[in-house]
Amino acid sequence: MARDGDLGKWMRSLLPCYRVSFFGKNVLFTHADVPEKLEEKSVMDRFVQMYDRHMSSPTFVHGGSQEKYGSRLLKTQHGIFWERRFDSLSQEEVDELLNGLETDFLVVGHTPHKKITVHGGKVFDIDVGMFPRYGANDPAAIIFKKEGIYEFYVSKGEKNLVRF
């Protein structure tokens, strides 16, 4: 985890979200649910740019670690790391969110469930609470294939969630 170590460098280079295309479908990965203030792609893109500039700058420029990691930027928009609201969204709200983000699917974590949780057939919470405190649930993953999206559990194998 040292700043100059392989893992430390890599972890410090990660952005708060990541966009990718699988088989013609756009997918956005975030740590937690997307806060309302970041529901538009252009706003999210600006936040990611500000975040990257902030985190890439040397800690001493900010006056130390506490100031850098406790900055207004991270506190006022840090819902991207801690937001928990997808359980309450309707299908229409899920569709509006993804439309605003210009993405087909969203993959999040942060909120442990006993299994992969699907919201509106388009948002996948893949935090299955494998840590003993959250139930030591079966390790799981989400898989994107040409024919659709699948959940995979170590003990049960794979099951289709969405067909393309």
Side-chain angles (χ1 to χ4, degrees), residues 6 10 14 16 23 34-35 37 40 44 50 58-59 61 64 67 79-80 84 94 96 101 116 122 130 134 143-144 150:
D6 291 343
W10 175 73
L14 295 175
F23 309 107
V34 176
K37 61 188 162 248
E40 294 296 322
M44 175 72 81
M50 289 187 312
T59 301
V61 169
E67 288 76 14
I80 197 165
R84 287 185 168 131
V94 167
E96 286 177 21
L101 291 169
I116 292 174
K122 298 177 182 178
M130 294 183 295
Y134 299 109
I143 302 169
F144 289 82
Y150 294 76

Side-chain angles (χ1 to χ4, degrees), residues 41-164:
K41 182 181 182 300
S42 61
V43 176
M44 175 72 81
D45 290 347
R46 277 194 307 277
F47 170 73
V48 170
Q49 289 171 351
M50 289 187 312
Y51 177 90
D52 189 37
R53 272 194 309 272
H54 179 83
M55 297 305 285
S56 297
S57 61
T59 301
F60 74 85
V61 169
H62 300 280
S65 295
Q66 190 168 6
E67 288 76 14
K68 180 175 183 175
Y69 298 105
S71 79
R72 183 173 172 268
L73 171 70
L74 300 178
K75 285 182 179 178
T76 60
Q77 293 191 11
H78 96 343
I80 197 165
F81 301 108
W82 307 112
E83 188 78 26
R84 287 185 168 131
R85 66 187 183 101
F86 286 159
D87 286 336
S88 65
L89 294 183
S90 68
Q91 180 68 53
E92 183 179 325
E93 291 169 320
V94 167
D95 291 340
E96 286 177 21
L97 170 68
L98 295 182
N99 186 48
L101 291 169
E102 299 178 27
T103 194
D104 299 305
F105 298 100
L106 181 60
V107 179
V108 303
H110 180 65
T111 304
H113 296 88
K114 291 187 183 294
K115 61 183 184 113
I116 292 174
T117 305
V118 182
H119 306 281
K122 298 177 182 178
V123 177
F124 306 93
D125 186 331
I126 62 171
D127 186 339
V128 295
M130 294 183 295
F131 189 71
R133 178 177 175 188
Y134 299 109
N137 297 310
D138 194 16
I142 192 159
I143 302 169
F144 289 82
K145 295 183 176 185
K146 186 168 44 175
E147 56 277 349
I149 302 171
Y150 294 76
E151 62 183 0
F152 173 82
Y153 291 89
V154 169
S155 66
K156 297 181 239 172
E158 154 181 315
K159 177 182 164 193
N160 182 261
L161 294 172
V162 175
R163 292 217 182 273
F164 297 150

Side-chain angles (χ1 to χ4, degrees), residues 14-39:
L14 295 175
L15 295 175
C17 63
Y18 182 75
R19 293 178 185 279
V20 68
S21 182
F22 293 113
F23 309 107
K25 304 294 183 184
N26 296 317
V27 183
L28 177 65
F29 291 84
T30 68
H31 171 75
D33 303 2
V34 176
E36 288 182 44
K37 61 188 162 248
L38 297 177
E39 284 185 349

